[in-house]
């Protein structure tokens, strides 16, 4: 009787996932996703990053904007609208004493709550990919694959392939368009998706 009663029910399930997690783990998650989409039983909603105004409103509610007049802009620049990164940064800044300490943490610090998460993401890259990321980090938030290839004495196309894999599977970096897309020889740069990825890599590197 219970089975008969349940047969007529429609159950709504809300799930969250990251696209790259599906790529990394593969079946059975991707198979279930495809089957649900084919049967019209799955509706996917992309969750956008927070805007600058939304971050500013959140920072104002915490009261941390009193530490520095441009605190919301700096938190947005460091978190780039990622809610997890933003909230961790604000908790990190809440423990500061004075404007100078808050300034240092806002511009250079990596919260311990995020350090482990970022370290785990970096550890999932191959040795070659990690070396390429370190070379990129030394260039800055944006970097050039040709310089990495010269430093590692690798073919630039091989380096580009490694960086594309890091982008697709791990989401740590993003490809930037060439300054002049009509010029095939124009420099194509890459950028760390979040300033905190860049900062964490620099922290790991020995002098």
């Amino acid at each position: 009787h219970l089975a008969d009663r349940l047969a007529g029910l429609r159950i709504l399930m809300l799930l969250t996932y990251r696209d790259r997690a599906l790529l990394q783990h593969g079946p059975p998650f991707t198979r279930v996703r495809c089957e649900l989409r084919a049967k019209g039983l799955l509706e996917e909603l992309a969750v956008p990053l927070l805007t600058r105004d939304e971050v500013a409103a959140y920072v104002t509610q915490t009261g941390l904007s009193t530490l520095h007049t441009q605190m919301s802009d700096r938190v947005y620049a460091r978190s780039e609208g990622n809610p997890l990164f933003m909230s961790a940064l604000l908790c990190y800044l809440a423990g500061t004493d004075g404007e100078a300490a808050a300034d240092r943490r806002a511009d250079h610090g990596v919260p311990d709550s995020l350090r482990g998460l970022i370290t785990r993401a970096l550890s999932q890259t191959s040795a070659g990919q990690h070396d390429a990321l370190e070379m990129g980090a030394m260039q800055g938030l944006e970097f050039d694959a040709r310089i990495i290839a010269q430093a590692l004495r690798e073919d630039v196309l091989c380096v580009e392939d490694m960086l594309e894999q890091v982008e697709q599977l791990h989401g740590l970096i993003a490809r930037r368009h060439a300054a002049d897309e009509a010029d095939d020889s124009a420099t194509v740069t890459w950028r760390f998706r979040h300033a905190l990825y860049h900062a964490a890599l620099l922290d790991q590197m020995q002098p």
Side-chain angles (χ1 to χ4, degrees), residues 32 79 92-93 111 116 122 138 174 178 182-183:
V32 171
S79 67
Y92 184 57
L93 295 173
L122 292 172
M138 283 193 282
D183 183 3

Side-chain angles (χ1 to χ4, degrees), residues 136-148:
M138 283 193 282
Q139 293 182 52
L141 194 60
E142 292 191 5
F143 53 93
D144 186 343
R146 293 182 303 179
I147 297 177
I148 294 176

Side-chain angles (χ1 to χ4, degrees), residues 16-30 33 120 124 167-171:
T16 61
Y17 67 91
R18 293 184 176 89
D19 289 338
R20 291 180 185 85
L22 292 180
L23 292 175
Q24 291 173 359
H25 297 291
F29 305 107
T30 52
R33 180 191 183 198
R120 185 180 67 178
Q124 294 174 348
E167 178 187 26
Q168 294 172 4
L169 295 179
H170 306 289

